[in-house]
Amino acid sequence: MKQKIILLILFLISIFELGHSVYRPTPHDIIYDDKSFTITFSYDFPYYTRLIMYQNKTTPRSEMAPNYFNCSLIIDDTRHCVFHSDEPLSRLWGTVYNRVCVRDVLSPVEDCSYKISALSKFPLPYNLKYSKKPRTSGEDIVITGTYLRFMGGPNSLLNTVDEFTPFVVKGNFSDPSFDCNNITVTFPPGSGNFEMLYEESGIYPNYFSYESPKISNIVSDSLKQIITINGDNFFTDKDLILVSFDGINQTNLFISVNHTQIQVNDFNRVDPGPMSINITVNGVSIEENYIHCFPAIITSISSVSNHLGGIVTIKGEKLSPTLNPSLTPSITIGDKQCTLLKSTTTELECQLDPNEYGGKNLLIDVNFSGCNSKSPNGVSFTYNIPTLSSGSYSNGFVTLIGTNLGTNEESSIQLYGNGIKDTINIGQFNVSSDEKSLTFKLPLLRCRSFNINFTRSNISSNTLSISASLSINAINRPTVSNGTLNIEIYYIDCPVSSSSVPSITVYNSTSQCSIPSLQPSSGYYETTCPTPYGTGINKQFIFKLNSEPVSNEFSYEPPKVDNRTFSEGHINITFHGNNFGNSTSLIQVYLNGSDISSEILEIKDNQFTIKRLNSYENGQINITVDGINMESLFYLTLPPIIYGIINKDNKTLACRGLITVSGKNLLTSDDEFKVKVLVNNKNTTVFDQDEKILTVRAESNESPLFVSTFIGDDLGPNAILTHLQPIITVVQHIKNKKNDISTSVGGISFSDIFKANLAVKSENVSLSCNLQCSSSPNETLYDSNPKLSSNETDITNSTDCLSCHSNSYVDDTSGILYLQIGSTSFHYDVIIEKIELSSPPSASNGDEIKSSKLSGGAIAGITIGCVAAVGALVGCVVYFKLITRAKNSFK
């Protein structure tokens, strides 16, 4: 201010200064822009002719180009003096000591003694622009415009920031290339509004200010109740600073870092939302209030199933206002709105609708009036995060309680822990419709405690540990007496102590079991416990280990029959085996489905005896003891029963005759009870057999036949049989060929004691015979009493055959054949046929071989087959036609 007064005094003195040759000029006005300037005068008053610019108080500018004022233009009594220079206006600079040359209108003489500063009209800075306002910490500023240094400095700029220290203007003004319209001024540290005096006279000041305060960020420490304001242009004097929060001035503050940081103490903001901050530094206010958000702070968030949606719980700080209840947040999760349900300062709940797409790591925003929430731990929201809050075990099932447990298709359960060699996957479990509980059947585990790992859509829940109750399983059936029960133990306390001795209580009888041992085959612990004598199923027992009791049940072993024996005479049957008990009231015995328990005579645990009835048949024995059935039935084969030898009239054929035995179970293959028939103490050959009839062939032709039957080694019924009388049914014609006479005789019951000869006119020819017994004897032929007939009838090979021959030759064509079989004699008239062929005709060619008709009741017209026993005919079947009647006589 003092500088202004001094300049004004100097100006007034110059007005009255004497000694000028030209009267002081009085300009009317000055007209200027960035291209030129014009000063006007009264047309008859002195006016300017040129400028003399000084670079300091004593020295004019030597490098300045010539200049002048063209004042020839007079309009309405006003003279217009236009400034002209050989250099641009950007080089028009000087000091407060600049002078101007003037002249009178009537004289060409110039007077260059007038200072421009003493005159009232001169160009001021025009089109003034600043590159920016200076920061309070000070800095260089570029100032542009015209006439900036017309009358000031040039390298100093007066100001009111410090009246004794002008601003420094950088640059060499004497340099012809220096642009005086673009100067750089160094502003020292300062604050507030101030004036700059470009013309140094102080008459025309320019108003300017330091840059407004700026806030870059706010740091709030709620624990220390400190707000730290970071920014710029705060200067260094706290007494010049005014800080207000939401219009309330803050008094407890200080500048913690010059120019850039302010600290406000004792400030506590409990509510979320925006806060308006205003800072004024020495009268210069912030251009726009800074809005600082006190965000809701999210520390955790729950999850919901994308299938169901649901209530999301968000925890943190500043989640609800306390001073402004009407301030409610807008909550978004990802791009979905979550409807606020209720809130406190530390927890809020909102309803999220189902979202078929789900999502992971979604952003959460709890927004109060534009203030977004923040999460110091980077908390994000993910659908379907499963949580397990508790778990329990009961009756073989595990129940898990939690949230977002999903479905079988997207969730999985794994068990692991001590005693589990590999992780166990649970394939089936049931989830409630609200996905808050699930159950699954717990597989058998070795140890009591186990861990559950639950995963949904590749997101794992927290791990839950559960302990199951002791469980056991009887893995065998004890025998009725002296039995032991093997018990598998599950969910045992691991590791097992050698002092852990379990006990078992059955029928109020308690016994110690063996120390549980781990079985490599099953992977479980096992113990062996004695059981008392007993029978039946579902026998309750109590197993106790480490004072923990558990109930279970077992069944005794089923009855089992190993073999049977028969008493002498096969009257009683004794079954040998196990687990029959000792009570006839508890055992049922069935043969072929019929209950024969009433025939039990005596019983022990390992055998019982039953009376054999004739009505019994071979079949399955099934036994039930106290409700337990046999697992494998026992097939009972009964010994045969021989009723007797049933040959009619105790007769049989003489030639390998058949003996028929009647009985029951005759087909047994058991060597112990095999049926045998002996004739005259010689074995017989079985001809036919079924369960009730046994037919054998006696290998002896002796008579009588002493027949004995045996069942195993036991003697059965016996009989004495005699032979039936022989019957001849056919005599073949005598075949006479060179050195060979032969014939065949068929009949029934031929004996192996026989004699034959052929009587002709000239001689008796003795015949040698061979007996071929029937391969299928048929005694019914004996009783048929056939009548001779001219009809020819085929008969089977049930005929005995005598093949007779002699190495002789006769010329006769007829003769008598004499036969004696046993004690019976026969003779027949026979035809002797001379055979020229070398071999007999074949029956297959249809040739007939004629035979003699038989007399004395022989069968007429019957064709039988004999097996030849002579030469090449041995074993062949020969057919005869009966052509003669035979006569027989009995001795």
Side-chain angles (χ1 to χ4, degrees), residues 111-263:
D111 184 350
C112 296
S113 62
Y114 286 101
K115 292 183 178 179
I116 295 178
S117 59
L119 304 176
S120 59
K121 303 296 181 182
F122 49 85
L124 298 175
Y126 178 79
N127 198 18
L128 185 63
K129 294 180 180 179
Y130 301 91
S131 60
K132 64 186 294 293
K133 289 184 178 182
R135 294 184 299 170
T136 60
S137 59
E139 64 177 325
D140 289 347
I141 300 298
V142 176
I143 304 174
T144 59
T146 312
Y147 319 116
L148 297 180
R149 298 281 76 195
F150 182 80
M151 204 171 65
N155 290 101
S156 62
L157 181 58
L158 299 180
N159 61 85
T160 60
V161 175
D162 186 348
E163 296 178 352
F164 300 101
T165 306
F167 296 156
V168 174
V169 180
K170 295 182 177 181
N172 182 6
F173 283 84
S174 298
D175 184 352
S177 64
F178 184 79
D179 186 356
C180 300
N181 291 345
N182 188 328
I183 61 175
T184 298
V185 179
T186 299
F187 288 78
S191 64
N193 298 295
F194 58 90
E195 298 175 0
M196 291 195 297
L197 307 174
Y198 286 92
E199 83 298 340
E200 295 190 358
S201 65
I203 300 175
Y204 305 104
N206 286 86
Y207 298 98
F208 200 41
S209 70
Y210 278 90
E211 195 171 27
S212 300
K214 294 180 180 180
I215 299 176
S216 58
N217 62 75
I218 301 293
V219 178
S220 174
D221 189 337
S222 58
L223 295 178
K224 296 181 179 180
Q225 298 185 352
I226 293 175
I227 295 290
T228 301
I229 304 173
N230 294 307
D232 203 357
N233 305 315
F234 301 150
F235 198 49
T236 59
D237 188 351
K238 79 178 187 65
D239 294 332
L240 297 178
I241 296 176
L242 179 63
V243 177
S244 65
F245 294 161
D246 285 337
I248 299 174
N249 292 335
Q250 304 299 307
T251 58
N252 190 357
L253 60 88
F254 68 95
I255 298 174
S256 50
V257 177
N258 284 341
H259 304 290
T260 60
Q261 190 177 82
I262 299 172
Q263 182 172 302

Side-chain angles (χ1 to χ4, degrees), residues 48 235 293 330 348 455 560 572-573 577 626 646 652 715 834 857:
Y48 295 167
F235 198 49
C293 283
S330 171
L348 67 79
T455 301
K560 179 183 179 183
N572 298 326
I573 310 172
D626 198 6
I646 60 172
T652 185
L715 180 64
K834 186 176 182 179

Side-chain angles (χ1 to χ4, degrees), residues 707-760:
V707 181
S708 302
T709 61
F710 291 85
I711 300 174
D713 294 330
D714 295 334
L715 180 64
N718 54 69
I720 298 175
L721 303 182
T722 59
H723 289 156
L724 291 167
Q725 291 294 328
I727 297 175
I728 293 178
T729 58
V730 66
V731 176
Q732 184 183 1
H733 292 181
I734 301 297
K735 301 175 187 67
N736 184 21
K737 60 181 178 178
K738 188 176 181 179
N739 297 327
D740 186 15
I741 298 173
S742 65
T743 186
S744 294
V745 179
I748 300 171
S749 193
F750 288 182
S751 170
D752 57 356
I753 301 173
F754 50 81
K755 183 166 64 174
N757 59 74
L758 177 63
V760 294

Side-chain angles (χ1 to χ4, degrees), residues 396-557:
F397 286 86
V398 172
T399 299
L400 300 179
I401 305 299
T403 57
N404 307 324
L405 301 182
T407 63
N408 278 68
E409 290 75 19
E410 60 187 354
S411 301
S412 64
I413 300 174
Q414 293 181 325
L415 308 183
Y416 65 96
N418 189 16
I420 300 177
K421 182 179 180 181
D422 298 313
T423 300
I424 298 176
N425 293 313
I426 303 300
Q428 291 296 324
F429 49 88
N430 297 317
V431 185
S432 61
S433 58
D434 60 2
E435 300 183 7
K436 292 184 177 180
S437 67
L438 67 80
T439 58
F440 64 88
K441 184 174 179 60
L442 182 66
L444 299 176
L445 303 178
R446 180 191 305 169
C447 299
R448 180 188 302 272
S449 298
F450 57 93
N451 299 317
I452 294 179
N453 181 24
F454 184 88
T455 301
R456 178 181 182 182
S457 302
N458 297 321
I459 303 174
S460 295
S461 73
N462 53 303
T463 298
L464 199 64
S465 295
I466 296 180
S467 294
S469 303
L470 183 69
S471 180
I472 60 173
N473 180 41
I475 60 175
N476 75 312
R477 293 180 173 185
T479 57
V480 169
S481 61
N482 300 319
T484 56
L485 184 64
N486 296 328
I487 298 175
E488 271 188 348
I489 309 173
Y490 318 114
Y491 318 130
I492 195 172
D493 288 318
C494 294
V496 176
S497 171
S498 59
S499 62
S500 299
V501 180
S503 65
I504 186 172
T505 301
V506 186
Y507 301 144
N508 297 321
S509 174
T510 301
S511 303
Q512 279 194 343
C513 305
S514 64
I515 297 175
S517 60
L518 186 61
Q519 301 300 306
S521 58
S522 65
Y524 301 113
Y525 283 94
E526 187 176 314
T527 184
T528 300
C529 305
T531 55
Y533 182 93
T535 58
I537 61 175
N538 303 330
K539 301 300 177 181
Q540 297 294 319
F541 70 94
I542 297 175
F543 180 84
K544 185 180 289 187
L545 178 63
N546 296 331
S547 301
E548 182 178 2
V550 58
S551 298
N552 209 318
E553 59 185 28
F554 69 88
S555 297
Y556 283 94
E557 273 192 3

